[in-house]
Amino acid sequence: MKTIRYYAPLRGIVKKESDETEAQTVGDVLGQIKTTYGKQAYKAAKSSLIVVNDVSIGLYDGKKTALKDGDVVGFLPLCGGG
Amino acid sequence: MAYGTKRPEVHNRKGFNKYVKKWVKFLRNHPMTGESLPNYGSAGLVSKANSTNALPTHNFKYGHSKDAHYISGETLTDQFLLRNSSCISCPIRCERRVMVDGKDVKGPEYETCGFFGPNIDAISMENMLKLNYLCDILGMDTISLASTIAFAMELKENGVADFGVTFGNSDNLFEVVKKVAVREGIYSDLANGSKWMSEKYGGKDYAMHSKGLEMASYEPRRSVGMGLGYATSNRGGCHLNGGYLALLESVGVLMTDPLSTSAKPALTVFLQNGMEAVSAAGFCLFSAQSFVPAIFFRLGPHHPFTRAVGKIATHSGPAVRMLLWMMPVVRFNSLFLFPHAETLRLITGFPFYTGSFIKLGERGYNMERLYNMREGLAKKDDSLPDRLTKVPQDPDNPKTVVRLDKMLPVYYKVRGWSKDGVPTKRTLRKLGIKA
């Protein structure tokens, strides 16, 4: 079992903080969000900073990143500052 | 110092008011200045930096903390935020207000979250909020102090000196901070900063400063251009005076290859000049953060188009050098890139354009350099601790070091300085500086 954690702005659309999933890849998680919550949520999820166990999927295999039991997939907001 | 009794005249008040309205609207509609900064403050960068291994952890030994989400901007907003606030008239409103000991006080910025969090391995938002407030009322900078404390922790870990501070524990830091403020006993040493301490006790290779100023919370081994910025910054290890290239390497949406040295010298010079001009004009640097077009935020950092543009930017060195060379003839102003120039033009009536504005920054940067040189600083001081230049962050990836040896000569060349980092007569003449 893997965990999906939602942060703003996605959380505002799906109206919950987390979900459980059996998805095999990050792409599958995105597909699951589209099926469960619709296009708007999918669009917000796609443009988020996607992390697996707090590490950007850009450092892994992008949306093809494989997931294993216990992994946490996060959809984080894009922030700025300094 | 300028002073007087009359209200300064505005060259074109009507045009100025109209432009400011347009600019404020632009900032409010931009995802960076209109959404992320008001929603999460600069603390929102914690998760981003952590996700790219660029969050200094354990005195910059590592770049990732598995517990960072406990002290992230999202957690701060979800569980501790009372309300937003801002400096006078600011449309961004990034300031966090939080409750400490029953008082409504200013909350922490990103740097404080990083340095009183993962960099000392202590993950307690409650303690961090209190330490942030304590430093504020004692007038101490959280970057310098917390980084010096992390250095003291590592001295203890290595059996060199014991200041009663240990990685993983922030419970006793309230007393430590107060003792540093009044220079009580051995804590007087901490008040002198990590450079001074490393000269007294040793450990220069892990005293995380440049020119005596502790570096900000961006791990340069995952943002090598930021490393170059820290090393060359006239103020020392400052991310803002250093050009803040981390925004295009490890904490932004549009990212160049954080380990590539290719375009970093030219990009660093460009951003250092631009940010110098923004600072000199009295603007907040966040007002310049809308230069990354909103489309990239809509697409997200993982979209093929965003990644492709990032790849192109990684090799944009010659183009940026050309742009720097063309600055004197860049006679236009835009809301996207340094709109500050247009406001200055409308206020003063002087011919401020993007090109001349950035050129102004270049002039300031060179004057600061000359001042530093007069005070004894030289090429040898454009440096970083060995931990960053010799020890790979990832032992399996030798590229995760800051190749200053490779970037500095190019940086000097782009700046029009000699091989020893001295501004040449030609450069000074071009900038109208009499040395």
Side-chain angles (χ1 to χ4, degrees), chain B residues 35-329:
Chain B
E35 290 170 28
S36 68
L37 276 168
N39 287 342
Y40 298 102
S42 61
L45 287 178
V46 171
S47 303
K48 178 66 184 161
N50 197 42
S51 78
T52 53
N53 298 325
L55 183 67
T57 302
H58 202 97
N59 193 31
F60 282 80
K61 203 169 189 176
Y62 316 109
H64 182 85
S65 163
K66 65 179 173 47
D67 297 319
H69 56 273
Y70 291 114
I71 49 93
S72 68
E74 295 83 41
T75 304
L76 183 63
T77 296
D78 287 350
Q79 298 174 24
F80 298 89
L81 182 71
L82 287 179
R83 61 189 170 90
N84 279 32
S85 188
S86 72
C87 303
I88 293 170
S89 304
C90 178
I92 301 174
R93 296 181 63 80
C94 64
E95 186 185 329
R96 323 271 82 194
R97 299 296 297 188
V98 295
M99 192 67 85
V100 170
D101 296 334
K103 287 184 206 136
D104 175 349
V105 301
K106 188 180 179 296
E109 299 284 341
Y110 163 66
E111 312 292 342
T112 311
C113 294
F115 279 118
F116 274 130
N119 203 43
I120 56 168
D121 281 348
I123 307 293
S124 164
M125 183 71 94
E126 287 84 357
N127 281 0
M128 192 218 297
L129 298 183
K130 284 183 186 172
L131 286 165
N132 181 57
Y133 178 58
L134 189 59
C135 287
D136 274 357
I137 58 173
L138 291 171
M140 293 200 287
D141 175 55
T142 53
I143 298 180
S144 282
L145 177 62
S147 186
T148 303
I149 289 173
F151 177 63
M153 288 173 170
E154 191 155 355
L155 285 177
K156 184 179 181 188
E157 190 175 68
N158 294 339
V160 179
D162 188 353
F163 291 88
V165 290
T166 321
F167 281 116
N169 179 20
S170 60
D171 292 340
N172 69 337
L173 290 186
F174 308 104
E175 284 311 308
V176 169
V177 168
K178 286 176 195 164
K179 285 176 182 173
V180 173
V182 297
R183 288 183 169 269
E184 187 181 314
I186 56 166
Y187 295 96
S188 182
D189 285 356
L190 269 76
N192 290 330
S194 46
K195 177 177 184 282
W196 188 94
M197 282 178 64
S198 68
E199 283 161 2
K200 180 175 177 180
Y201 296 99
K204 285 185 182 177
D205 53 326
Y206 54 87
M208 307 312 291
H209 72 88
S210 178
K211 298 188 182 80
L213 184 71
E214 286 73 16
M215 283 174 267
S217 193
Y218 304 90
E219 221 290 24
R221 289 175 293 183
R222 292 290 179 164
S223 317
V224 298
M226 187 70 265
L228 176 66
Y230 284 145
T232 55
S233 159
N234 289 314
R235 191 152 58 208
C238 171
H239 56 310
L240 303 174
N241 193 235
Y244 198 26
L245 206 55
L247 193 65
L248 293 177
E249 293 183 304
S250 53
V251 297
V253 177
L254 184 63
M255 293 202 288
T256 58
D257 180 347
L259 306 182
S260 165
T261 57
S262 174
K264 302 303 165 62
L267 282 168
T268 298
V269 169
F270 181 80
L271 287 173
Q272 281 178 341
N273 290 350
M275 293 178 82
E276 180 81 357
V278 174
S279 290
F283 289 97
C284 167
L285 288 162
F286 288 2
S287 64
Q289 288 209 354
S290 50
F291 76 91
V292 176
I295 176 76
F296 294 109
F297 289 82
R298 307 279 180 232
L299 295 173
H302 309 299
H303 193 280
F305 181 66
T306 313
R307 283 164 47 210
V309 175
K311 269 186 189 163
I312 293 167
T314 300
H315 303 289
S316 63
V320 178
R321 286 174 77 164
M322 175 71 85
L323 187 65
L324 283 164
W325 182 72
M326 285 169 58
M327 277 304 147
V329 293

